[in-house]
């Protein structure tokens, strides 16, 4: 049994035999901005209807286009954060979104130090309320945003 959002799967081996529900979806990209000139990291503050409040988190977008992931990140940076041009986009790996979903999130660090500021491209009325919050590294690392924390942590020298 399955539909657009859910698929029932059957797992069996010599020790187990069970059914489970897998939530379907698409992979995504997540990124944080970094302005090295001022030493701050940019995250997005946007309204999240499921929790009925604004949440400050990494920017993101669905991988729903047949394009290289870095190109999708570049488009999302312009659309959501309002930067274009001289962007230095660095991959920081990928993460499994949750045990209940079959999705991966590809993580990116985007240096906007020398980028051109441009208008954002909101698609909904709620998108118009979204703002970029610039935070110190220690504040990002103390946040609840696992994506932003992971992006920074994976970029640190070992």
């Amino acid at each position: 049994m399955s539909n657009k959002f859910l698929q029932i799967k059957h797992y069996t081996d010599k020790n187990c035999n069970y059914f489970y529900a897998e939530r379907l979806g698409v992979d995504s990209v997540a990124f944080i901005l970094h302005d090295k000139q001022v030493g701050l990291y940019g995250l997005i503050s946007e309204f999240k209807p499921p929790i009925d409040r604004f949440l400050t988190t990494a920017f993101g977008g669905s991988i729903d286009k047949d394009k290289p992931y870095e190109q999708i990140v570049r488009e999302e940076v312009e659309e959501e954060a309002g930067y274009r041009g001289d962007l230095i986009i660095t991959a920081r790996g990928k993460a499994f979104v949750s045990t209940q979903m079959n999705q991966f999130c590809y993580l990116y660090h985007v240096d906007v130090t020398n980028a051109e500021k441009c208008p954002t491209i909101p698609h909904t009325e709620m998108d118009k309320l979204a703002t970029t919050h610039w935070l110190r590294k220690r504040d990002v690392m103390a946040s609840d945003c696992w994506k932003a924390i992971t992006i920074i942590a994976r970029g640190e020298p070992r």
Side-chain angles (χ1 to χ4, degrees):
M1 176 183 155
S2 70
N3 65 27
K4 170 176 165 176
F5 303 105
L6 190 67
Q7 184 173 27
I8 305 299
K9 292 192 166 184
H10 180 233
Y11 177 82
T12 185
D13 70 14
K14 64 181 181 178
N15 299 317
C16 297
N17 183 23
Y18 60 89
F19 290 89
Y20 64 98
E22 182 176 77
R23 183 169 181 253
L24 302 175
V26 296
D27 290 341
S28 61
V29 295
F31 61 91
I32 59 171
L33 308 176
H34 187 197
D35 186 331
K36 291 182 179 179
Q37 193 169 32
V38 294
L40 297 175
Y41 293 89
L43 281 70
I44 188 169
S45 180
E46 61 187 342
F47 189 76
K48 298 292 187 179
I51 58 173
D52 199 29
R53 67 180 175 96
F54 278 83
L55 186 64
T56 300
T57 185
F59 291 85
S62 297
I63 299 174
D64 55 1
K65 307 165 192 116
D66 187 22
K67 296 180 180 179
Y69 296 171
E70 285 190 18
Q71 180 60 35
I72 294 172
V73 171
R74 186 171 295 281
E75 291 171 4
E76 293 290 341
V77 169
E78 182 173 347
E79 182 180 303
E80 292 187 12
Y83 286 93
R84 66 176 165 224
D86 191 9
L87 305 173
I88 301 170
I89 301 171
T90 307
R92 295 289 192 230
K94 68 180 181 179
F96 199 51
V97 176
S98 85
T99 59
Q100 306 303 315
M101 302 167 77
N102 62 344
Q103 300 169 348
F104 282 96
C105 183
Y106 295 83
L107 307 170
Y108 291 87
H109 173 275
V110 181
D111 181 347
V112 297
T113 305
N114 297 311
E116 172 191 349
K117 185 72 174 127
C118 63
T120 59
I121 307 167
H123 293 292
T124 68
E125 289 301 311
M126 294 308 293
D127 287 350
K128 291 178 183 178
L129 300 175
T131 57
T132 300
H133 281 239
W134 291 94
L135 305 169
R136 295 176 297 211
K137 178 181 173 181
R138 71 173 177 253
D139 296 327
V140 175
M141 298 305 281
S143 76
D144 292 332
C145 182
W146 68 266
K147 294 174 195 171
I149 292 168
T150 303
I151 291 166
I152 290 175
R154 289 187 178 175
E156 295 298 311
R158 301 202 185 265

